[in-house]
Amino acid sequence: MPPDGRIASGHDEYAWLPNALLFEQKNKTIAVGIKRHGDVYSYRETHGSSTKAMESSYYIVNYDVVNMHSITEKKLDFIDEEESKQPLIIGKDRNRIWIFTDQLAAYHSSTLEQVANRKEIERKNPALATALLNDAKYYRWNSENKTILIATADGTTWQLNTQSLEAQPYIVAREEKKAAGKRNLKDDLWRSGSERAFKSSQDTAENIFYGLYSTDELPVYAGAFRNDAAGSLDAVRSLWSASFNQKSTKLFIDKDRLKRVSDQKFLNAFFLINRNTCRAFHCTSPSGFIIAYKTAIGKNGVTNLARITRDGEEVWNIETKLKEIKGLDFTDQYLLIQSAADENNHLITKMYSIRLADGKMSVAGL
């Protein structure tokens, strides 16, 4: 396999797709993702530029997070192999991972066998027999209840129970539309592997507001609470806390009671987000957060991780040397992160498993 520095050359390309997910089993935790193998059949360099043509194959793979060794690997099948598109991981429920290839299908997280597909969904829901569309953008994970929202050819929306495969019409109440819009925006960023989907500078825990700010950012962000807020400029940040009060449906931070929790400082720091809640991921025993931060500004800077308590104490701080976060998932015991090789090459070539208790890290590379 080609090293990272040669991945854009005439060699075959190996990379993971975004959004690998974690599954907890009785005696182990496994990571499940999709690997792309691009077979180069044409490569040409002309006047300093290059063109490359590839034929891609996709494999579903699972890994033991203790050491990130692969357990099982199976090639994904398409209904129409000639028109195969890049698969998309939609979400997970219990022991199933839902993927859109050129159809919506579910696979068992351990065996990787297909356990549901379009034919079964249509058989259980005759109203959808001619209405399911052949594009991933019409299928969206509903993190509120772990169902899949399906937009159909006739303009209606259905909610699919991912265990029974039964679907029912879905109507969004007027007051829910704004929240649903925010969730959809976050979901779009998550699907694309955008780092914006995984960061926030604000959160609440046990009726206390927490924020990662520099002193210059306090007036900008410390107002109405927004769980998608994150500082965009280079800044050295610390953990702050305050009380807050609720007016109607909004939370307002008590600026007069903002206090710095800890003197520890982190460059360009942000909380890592739990996709299912669109809020910062909360660690337990002790209670706290996972912070990602930069080692330096510019191209030489990499992202490291620290676990801190709500009192600002550091549980662990590890040199992950991530270039760009492209995928993220949590359980109570493990953190899974996918990373690009570098900021100029967005292919995901590294996958990190981190044990939350002590920061022990294992890495799988391509």
Side-chain angles (χ1 to χ4, degrees), residues 223-291:
F225 175 79
R226 299 186 356 249
N227 60 29
D228 59 345
S232 58
L233 301 177
D234 293 324
V236 177
R237 301 186 175 106
S238 300
L239 182 65
W240 296 73
S241 70
S243 57
F244 61 87
N245 53 75
Q246 186 165 348
K247 297 178 182 177
S248 184
T249 59
K250 289 188 176 181
L251 301 180
F252 289 88
I253 300 156
D254 188 344
K255 291 185 181 181
D256 295 332
R257 297 198 176 185
L258 265 173
K259 65 177 182 179
R260 196 193 304 266
V261 175
S262 169
D263 291 330
Q264 283 187 298
K265 295 178 173 61
F266 300 92
L267 178 63
N268 292 357
F270 56 86
F271 297 127
L272 293 185
I273 280 183
N274 183 333
R275 181 206 182 194
N276 286 331
T277 62
C278 291
R279 298 282 298 274
F281 176 76
H282 288 191
C283 295
T284 57
S285 302
S287 177
F289 310 98
I290 304 293
I291 289 177

Side-chain angles (χ1 to χ4, degrees), residues 312-357:
E313 296 180 3
E314 197 172 271
V315 179
W316 47 255
N317 193 322
I318 53 177
E319 293 186 5
T320 52
K321 297 183 179 179
L322 303 167
K323 276 297 182 179
E324 184 179 6
I325 296 175
K326 304 288 287 181
L328 181 68
D329 197 22
F330 296 92
T331 67
D332 290 338
Q333 295 182 309
Y334 285 94
L335 161 65
L336 181 73
I337 291 182
Q338 293 176 283
S339 174
D342 57 62
E343 293 178 348
N344 297 319
N345 186 337
H346 298 296
L347 293 176
I348 300 170
T349 56
K350 293 197 179 294
M351 194 147 59
Y352 300 76
S353 162
I354 299 166
R355 192 164 60 193
L356 293 176

Side-chain angles (χ1 to χ4, degrees), residues 171-207:
I171 300 173
V172 182
R174 181 177 297 178
E175 61 271 17
E176 294 178 357
K177 285 188 176 180
K178 187 174 182 181
K182 284 187 176 181
R183 287 196 303 271
N184 290 347
L185 174 59
K186 205 63 141 176
D187 190 55
D188 289 340
L189 293 170
W190 185 85
R191 286 177 174 219
S192 66
S194 169
E195 193 169 80
R196 284 177 56 203
F198 313 119
K199 58 169 56 175
S200 175
S201 59
Q202 301 184 332
D203 197 56
T204 60
E206 297 184 13
N207 296 319

Side-chain angles (χ1 to χ4, degrees), residues 25 36 43 46 52 62 72 88 98 110 112 133 136 150 172 180 186-187 211 294 304 340 360:
Q25 300 179 331
R36 178 174 66 85
Y43 180 78
T46 309
K52 176 162 61 175
N62 55 17
T72 310
L88 175 71
W98 285 86
S110 296
L112 304 184
L133 294 164
I150 302 173
V172 182
K186 205 63 141 176
D187 190 55
K294 289 288 188 181
N304 285 345
K360 182 181 181 298

